[in-house]
Amino acid sequence: MFQSIPTPLLLVFLLIMIIFLIKKLISKKQESEPEDEPESETYTQWTDRYEKNNVLLAPEQILDTLEKLGYFSFTAPEDLAAVKREIASGYESHQILSTEFGEESTVGLCGRYYLCDGETLFEIGGLEEYLLEVKPIFDRLGIPLKWSNEYWSDDITEHTIVLNGKQYDAFRGNPNDYKIWGWATKNFAEMLNDQLTIHESDEKIYLMGGGNDGAFYILTDAQFAFIRKHFTSDEIPRPVAEWWATP
């Protein structure tokens, strides 16, 4: 049958047939070989895989990890169930970190969330008001928080205070600057973080919101890293420098 076919065409036809047969043999071999057992995943690999597939962690996993990281160490036992329900609800609905509040309280029942009005913080008496609010958590951490020598210049361009023997600028600049509330909040967080660092604490102040709707969390590095990774709402606690740079 091949006598009437020119030699070059015959060679091409044979080559095609050989390739087809090789592919068929490879395919049959792959089908007959058992698949390798998947290697066990670490927690990080597992969560990364689910994130890539846009699958959220279960609320129970979120709460379990926060507990292991010591997030509820400042939560009163009688408030724990309510706080966990609120965190699970906020995570499921908007991947936002939320908390429960008592009546007329500016401190979350989790013990880590504080409302912080930038206007109040800037005004006379506001700094001491917020220092009194955070003092209980510093006491829990075994860190002294004593203040003295609070000073305001007559033209309101300078506001200083001494914390644990070290002087800090609460505000320094033009009182007509539109960022004065932000400066007051930033400086407040930085002076507290400085004291936490001096006393070798793993806790830090993280800011969120701003103006009359400002707030801050106190978190360990590990807690913040976990929250930053899994709570993907824009309303998240941020390091002070990042918060200041955010429009």
Side-chain angles (χ1 to χ4, degrees):
M1 66 177 282
F2 296 115
Q3 291 178 352
S4 60
I5 302 176
T7 301
L9 290 177
L10 179 60
L11 290 175
V12 171
F13 175 79
L14 290 173
L15 181 61
I16 291 173
M17 290 297 294
I18 291 169
I19 293 172
F20 173 79
L21 290 171
I22 291 173
K23 285 185 175 181
K24 193 169 182 179
L25 288 171
I26 292 173
S27 177
K28 284 185 177 180
K29 184 178 179 182
Q30 289 176 340
E31 290 176 359
S32 63
E33 290 179 352
E35 293 184 3
D36 294 335
E37 289 293 325
E39 295 182 2
S40 59
E41 295 177 303
T42 65
Y43 172 77
T44 302
Q45 290 170 331
W46 184 83
T47 54
D48 285 347
R49 178 168 61 83
Y50 269 68
E51 282 184 348
K52 288 176 182 177
N53 291 315
N54 296 318
V55 177
L56 300 175
L57 296 181
E60 294 78 10
Q61 293 171 302
I62 291 291
L63 294 174
D64 182 60
T65 304
L66 287 176
E67 187 146 23
K68 289 176 180 176
L69 293 173
Y71 182 84
F72 303 109
S73 58
F74 302 137
T75 308
E78 63 270 21
D79 298 325
L80 185 58
V83 169
K84 285 186 173 182
R85 281 196 302 271
E86 183 61 28
I87 291 175
S89 175
Y91 175 75
E92 279 192 297
S93 59
H94 298 98
Q95 289 75 63
I96 188 172
L97 180 63
S98 56
T99 190
E100 188 67 78
F101 283 91
E103 292 185 11
E104 299 182 4
S105 175
T106 59
V107 181
L109 293 179
C110 62
R112 294 185 173 277
Y113 179 80
Y114 294 76
L115 296 177
C116 184
D117 185 328
E119 181 180 11
T120 300
L121 186 58
F122 175 79
E123 293 173 344
I124 294 174
L127 177 55
E128 184 173 18
E129 178 181 331
Y130 282 107
L131 287 172
L132 285 168
E133 282 205 341
V134 300
K135 189 177 186 308
I137 204 167
F138 272 70
D139 291 341
R140 289 281 299 272
L141 294 170
I143 299 174
L145 190 60
K146 299 178 180 179
W147 55 92
S148 61
N149 297 10
E150 186 175 8
Y151 167 77
W152 277 97
S153 64
D154 292 337
D155 59 0
I156 320 180
T157 59
E158 183 182 353
H159 178 198
T160 61
I161 195 168
V162 174
L163 292 185
N164 295 338
K166 182 175 180 177
Q167 181 170 304
Y168 294 92
D169 283 346
F171 177 76
R172 186 179 296 274
N174 180 0
N176 296 314
D177 187 331
Y178 76 98
K179 285 189 173 183
I180 53 174
W181 299 354
W183 277 112
T185 303
K186 176 177 178 290
N187 291 346
F188 175 68
E190 287 180 339
M191 67 175 75
L192 292 181
N193 279 341
D194 186 53
Q195 283 298 314
L196 290 166
T197 299
I198 288 172
H199 290 87
E200 300 181 345
S201 174
D202 190 31
E203 308 276 355
K204 289 186 180 67
I205 302 294
Y206 294 88
L207 298 174
M208 58 188 297
N212 298 123
D213 299 316
F216 63 87
Y217 275 90
I218 180 165
L219 303 165
T220 66
D221 293 339
Q223 290 163 7
F224 171 72
F226 178 78
I227 290 165
R228 184 62 173 263
K229 183 174 184 178
H230 296 285
F231 291 80
T232 55
S233 165
D234 289 338
E235 297 179 40
I236 56 170
R238 302 176 187 274
V240 178
E242 181 184 322
W243 174 85
W244 181 249
T246 302

